[in-house]
Amino acid sequence: MNSQLVIGLVRSKKIALLALTLLLLPFSAQALETVSAKLCDFKTPLPERAFACNAALARTINLGNIFDSVREGMQGAVYQDEFVEMPKKAGFTAVRLAIRWDARAGYQDPYPIQPQFFERIDGVVKAAKANGLAVIIDMHHFVGMTMFPDTEVPRFVGVWKQVAEHYKNEPATVVFEVMNEPHGKLNPEKWQKAFDAVLPVIRASNPDRTLIVGGSEWNSAASLENIELPASDKNIIGTFHFYEPFYLTHQGAEWVSGSTAWLGTKWTGDADDMVLINTTLDRVVNWGKAYNRPVFLGEFGVYSKADHPSRLAWTRAVRKAAEERNISWAYWELMSSFGILDPRTMMWREDLLRTLIDAKP
Ligand code: BGC
């Protein structure tokens, strides 16, 4: 064989290998690699679409303490279109809308959601889409479910039926998150039951939409291993929240009893500090590989009363650790008590913003 022929054969073998890898890619653990967000489209087959839609959530900002309040404005902020325009300009790719549908729905079957509230959320979805952002429609603070999971499931399902039907014509870049942070009486077993009941109802009107689902115990990383997702539904992103160590991220938080004692806790990001971040994130990556599902870190952040340098160091470290593992992320949150935007001046808290987005786009 002459050398030209050998080179040719080696090349064609390489091409064959590449073609085989590409063919197998969506069905192997390699699919966890970032897929182009542009493929987040109903025409893209599964499971690539779920990975592509997760890529569209690469850098998400939570719009929290706005629609997850019982009444908008109760926690300070009233939504304005700048809340989506500014994140887009800063380099975010998506918004997670934390929405308390529960507080806007009736108590008798079919549990009607106030039409004016739908209109309000429609306006946000429209503005986000106009700015080229992906959107997560999240079921936040469904209090009845965490208190009375044995009797509240029909209402939970009834509320989801309306939300799912209302947004069924939205593009694939509008993703539904089934339940924020199951906890309290909604234990792993009861959350599984509720999820099994709601999934077919959402799928009836949205057979092709990507969903986000997490485990119980406040969407802890470990609980992701407990929820059973149907193997036949490849259109589900697994989610988890990360606020560890909690005495660092929630120091001085008024809603966490005993947290005043944690004030002054520092975090430098030394090797010991990093162990918790790395082991937790590796754990969810392993879950994603085992089930060939994309993974999304739906909330992380440090309360504003925390030691500021520690806040910056932790936020940057978590964000980077997530990106290194192709985990899309959503910072908690835009302009309230964890906020990266100062609502009085409508200016970025530049140092905090730069922990998430390295440079000005
Ligand atoms: C809750 C917020 C809280 C945040 C951090 C979110 O899931 O909805 O009320 O501020 O977690 O604790």
Side-chain angles (χ1 to χ4, degrees):
M1 266 192 278
N2 70 29
S3 59
Q4 289 292 337
L5 190 63
V6 174
I7 293 169
L9 272 175
V10 171
R11 271 206 193 126
S12 58
K13 256 193 178 170
K14 267 192 181 162
I15 291 168
L17 205 70
L18 185 73
L20 190 73
T21 313
L22 285 175
L23 245 159
L24 292 175
L25 196 64
F27 308 104
S28 72
Q30 294 301 311
L32 206 61
E33 300 290 316
T34 307
V35 185
S36 168
K38 289 200 184 98
L39 291 175
C40 179
D41 185 290
F42 290 127
K43 287 197 284 274
T44 303
L46 290 168
E48 293 100 311
R49 193 191 320 141
F51 284 89
C53 292
N54 195 42
L57 310 177
R59 294 182 298 281
T60 302
I61 186 73
N62 272 288
L63 262 56
N65 295 6
I66 308 172
F67 303 113
D68 47 330
S69 300
V70 172
R71 251 183 312 102
E72 188 183 342
M74 244 178 87
Q75 284 172 279
V78 172
Y79 169 81
Q80 39 189 301
D81 282 344
E82 275 167 289
F83 290 2
V84 296
E85 288 158 9
M86 290 185 69
K88 172 64 185 183
K89 282 188 198 132
F92 288 90
T93 61
V95 283
R96 177 174 181 257
L97 306 182
I99 309 171
R100 189 162 173 178
W101 297 101
D102 163 55
R104 279 83 176 186
Y107 285 87
Q108 302 297 323
D109 191 6
Y111 318 102
I113 294 171
Q114 297 160 6
Q116 64 274 30
F117 187 65
F118 263 135
E119 270 169 41
R120 186 76 180 135
I121 301 299
D122 293 352
V124 186
V125 173
K126 193 172 169 198
K129 283 191 301 181
N131 281 280
L133 293 169
V135 182
I136 300 169
I137 297 194
D138 167 44
M139 186 68 69
H140 214 85
H141 292 322
F142 207 109
V143 179
M145 282 293 286
T146 52
M147 294 176 79
F148 318 107
D150 294 326
T151 51
E152 191 72 0
V153 173
R155 184 164 179 266
F156 174 64
V157 171
V159 170
W160 252 123
K161 184 172 191 288
Q162 296 168 73
V163 174
E165 281 173 1
H166 190 88
Y167 293 107
K168 68 178 183 191
N169 294 324
E170 291 296 341
T173 49
V174 175
V175 170
F176 296 164
E177 183 168 341
V178 182
M179 172 88 160
N180 178 67
E181 298 187 343
H183 65 276
K185 293 198 173 145
L186 193 57
N187 62 26
E189 203 180 296
K190 290 182 180 177
W191 168 225
Q192 183 74 52
K193 266 191 168 175
F195 172 67
D196 292 345
V198 81
L199 181 64
V201 173
I202 298 175
R203 282 284 174 245
S205 54
N206 288 261
D208 301 318
R209 187 164 311 282
T210 301
L211 305 180
I212 299 178
V213 181
S216 55
E217 290 134 30
W218 307 89
N219 286 149
S220 73
S223 69
L224 194 51
E225 290 158 18
N226 298 333
I227 182 115
E228 213 172 293
L229 306 175
S232 56
D233 193 331
K234 287 286 171 217
N235 206 2
I236 299 178
I237 296 170
T239 191
F240 70 108
H241 292 178
F242 186 72
Y243 286 108
E244 301 301 328
F246 200 64
Y247 54 80
L248 171 86
T249 64
H250 280 68
Q251 51 187 293
E254 292 75 13
W255 63 99
V256 180
S257 73
S259 65
T260 325
W262 305 336
L263 281 166
T265 305
K266 293 199 171 32
W267 195 90
T268 58
D270 62 19
D272 285 350
D273 280 344
M274 286 306 295
V275 170
L276 189 57
I277 296 179
N278 290 332
T279 51
T280 309
L281 269 57
D282 285 343
R283 190 169 181 165
V284 294
V285 166
N286 286 337
W287 176 90
K289 280 184 181 161
Y291 295 98
N292 194 23
R293 294 198 191 270
V295 183
F296 171 61
L297 167 54
E299 285 187 20
F300 71 107
V302 183
Y303 189 48
S304 52
K305 284 192 180 167
D307 170 67
H308 196 65
S310 302
R311 199 178 174 208
L312 299 179
W314 185 92
T315 307
R316 177 175 282 108
V318 175
R319 188 268 297 183
K320 286 195 136 180
E323 286 179 357
E324 277 160 22
R325 292 166 174 81
N326 291 316
I327 298 173
S328 56
W329 53 259
Y331 179 76
W332 182 268
E333 38 59 44
L334 180 67
M335 35 37 68
S336 189
S337 54
F338 288 62
I340 50 172
L341 181 72
D342 183 340
R344 288 160 306 168
T345 59
M346 287 306 281
M347 302 272 282
W348 292 115
R349 295 185 171 119
E350 196 66 27
D351 54 355
L352 205 44
L353 175 65
R354 293 293 153 235
T355 66
L356 299 169
I357 311 275
D358 285 317
K360 290 188 180 165

